[in-house]
Amino acid sequence: MASTSASLTSEEYVEAFKVFLEHSTEHQYVPTNGEEQILQAEHPGVFVNTEIIEPNPQHVAAYKELVNQAPDLQRVSFVWHQLTSSQYEQQVMEKSTQKKFDFIHMIQMLYRVEDIPNTIKFFHSCLDHHGKLLIIILSESSGWATLWKKYRHCLPLTDSGHYVTSSDIEDILKRFGVEYQVYEFPSDWDITECFIEGDPVGGHMIDFLTGTKNFLGTAPMDLKKCLQEALCQPECSSRKDGRIILNNNLSMIVVES
Ligand SMILES: C[S@@+](CC[C@H](N)C(=O)[O-])C[C@H]1O[C@@H](n2cnc3c(N)ncnc32)[C@H](O)[C@@H]1O
């Protein structure tokens, strides 16, 4: 089913992402923006050189703000690259020497890169000996996976991202013949408001889910109904205390250098 809806701009994405975070347990297990302090505690006295690659200016600004507010980051340096991963790769390739890293993470971002296998290959090549690459991605057991695979016909065509889950990443890693371990983390997303007509929170959440601006206001009736019914299927969500909880399970994949 086609729709006339538009993709989210980066500002709209930031807003929709915030609402998603406020209603999910996504960040309960994900050490985003806090890993420098964890590393310092584990390796006291060691200098940590961090490079951040992030194309969205608002996300870069929010991260800088957190760094400015954090105490005890004297031994941590930050280099900011407001770039996509492929733009960063291009910059690295133009230099004669390639910097190596002990730890690289790609947390919930592979959906948006242009070429997933090559992005993984490139960042894996940036690891130093004994380095680790951490990929966090939606699990194949998540409701998103069912939505993307079984109920894709209920989604608008505007979402330009890849419908990728842990099993797709594992297939790529197996093809590359690299060693990795996978850890599963349960996560929930309360999507109840998505079913309340005219609810602004529900509007933002469904926009995040579909990668579409004002999905509820612009999608044809049959597409909306199809998506709302799909979201209620037991393979996607469960009911707790009258709330509708989407399965947002995550996989953490640790790749060896
Ligand atoms: C779902 S958010 C996850 C943010 C953060 N890692 C977290 O887990 O909270 C996806 C992030 O990927 C960034 N992104 C989008 N396209 C990208 C690309 N081509 N290369 C690198 N990052 C990208 C977005 O700007 C956004 O900050």
Side-chain angles (χ1 to χ4, degrees):
M1 272 180 254
S3 96
T4 51
S5 329
S7 301
L8 295 172
T9 63
S10 60
E11 290 82 11
E12 287 157 358
Y13 177 83
V14 168
E15 195 52 42
F17 183 53
K18 261 193 219 154
V19 178
F20 160 72
L21 291 179
E22 282 161 11
H23 290 80
S24 70
T25 61
E26 171 86 7
H27 273 186
Q28 204 163 306
Y29 300 109
V30 179
T32 44
N33 306 344
E35 58 278 4
E36 298 83 8
Q37 279 154 328
I38 296 168
L39 279 172
Q40 272 203 317
E42 285 288 319
H43 304 281
V46 167
F47 271 100
V48 181
N49 302 312
T50 317
E51 301 218 7
I52 293 98
I53 302 151
E54 166 57 59
N56 190 315
Q58 282 171 269
H59 280 184
V60 173
Y63 197 164
K64 282 187 180 170
E65 183 67 31
L66 281 171
V67 167
N68 286 338
Q69 287 166 6
D72 308 327
L73 287 181
Q74 297 85 356
R75 288 176 179 273
V76 185
S77 69
F78 293 87
V79 179
W80 305 92
H81 305 276
Q82 197 206 305
L83 299 170
T84 65
S85 51
S86 63
Q87 287 167 336
Y88 174 79
E89 176 176 353
Q90 210 174 326
Q91 278 195 358
V92 168
M93 292 312 187
E94 281 162 11
K95 291 184 190 145
S96 52
T97 53
Q98 192 182 350
K99 218 189 251 182
K100 298 285 180 177
F101 296 90
D102 297 312
F103 177 60
I104 298 174
H105 68 67
M106 300 198 284
I107 299 177
Q108 291 284 54
M109 53 68 73
L110 281 171
Y111 315 100
R112 303 272 149 197
V113 304
E114 287 138 49
D115 181 337
I116 295 173
N118 270 326
T119 302
I120 296 176
K121 191 184 266 177
F122 166 70
F123 283 102
H124 187 259
S125 81
C126 296
L127 287 177
D128 214 336
H129 297 298
H130 309 298
K132 306 248 191 260
L133 171 65
L134 170 68
I135 297 172
I136 299 185
I137 196 106
L138 280 158
S139 166
E140 185 62 21
S141 73
S142 67
W144 295 79
T146 309
L147 197 62
W148 291 341
K149 289 178 184 168
K150 192 167 166 191
Y151 298 104
R152 189 177 291 203
H153 58 283
C154 301
L155 291 165
L157 302 173
T158 34
D159 188 352
S160 54
H162 297 283
Y163 294 151
V164 62
T165 69
S166 54
S167 70
D168 303 301
I169 303 301
E170 282 194 63
D171 288 346
I172 293 169
L173 295 173
K174 279 182 200 138
R175 262 205 329 269
F176 290 166
V178 292
E179 253 183 73
Y180 66 89
Q181 300 93 42
V182 186
Y183 304 90
E184 289 291 312
F185 284 87
S187 176
D188 286 343
W189 178 15
D190 186 336
I191 56 167
T192 314
E193 278 78 11
C194 295
F195 298 86
I196 302 172
E197 198 63 41
D199 188 290
V201 166
H204 281 309
M205 290 202 288
I206 212 127
D207 287 357
F208 182 70
L209 189 86
T210 59
T212 298
K213 181 186 170 125
N214 192 15
F215 175 82
L216 292 176
T218 58
M221 211 38 153
D222 53 353
L223 192 64
K224 269 193 276 187
K225 201 161 164 266
C226 182
L227 180 59
Q228 286 178 326
E229 279 173 15
L231 286 170
C232 288
Q233 298 305 308
E235 315 120 282
C236 290
S237 66
S238 54
R239 293 212 176 223
K240 276 182 209 148
D241 305 325
R243 312 286 301 171
I244 302 165
I245 312 291
L246 188 78
N247 179 331
N248 186 60
N249 286 358
L250 302 169
S251 295
M252 301 200 182
I253 307 175
V254 180
V255 189
E256 307 290 332
S257 63

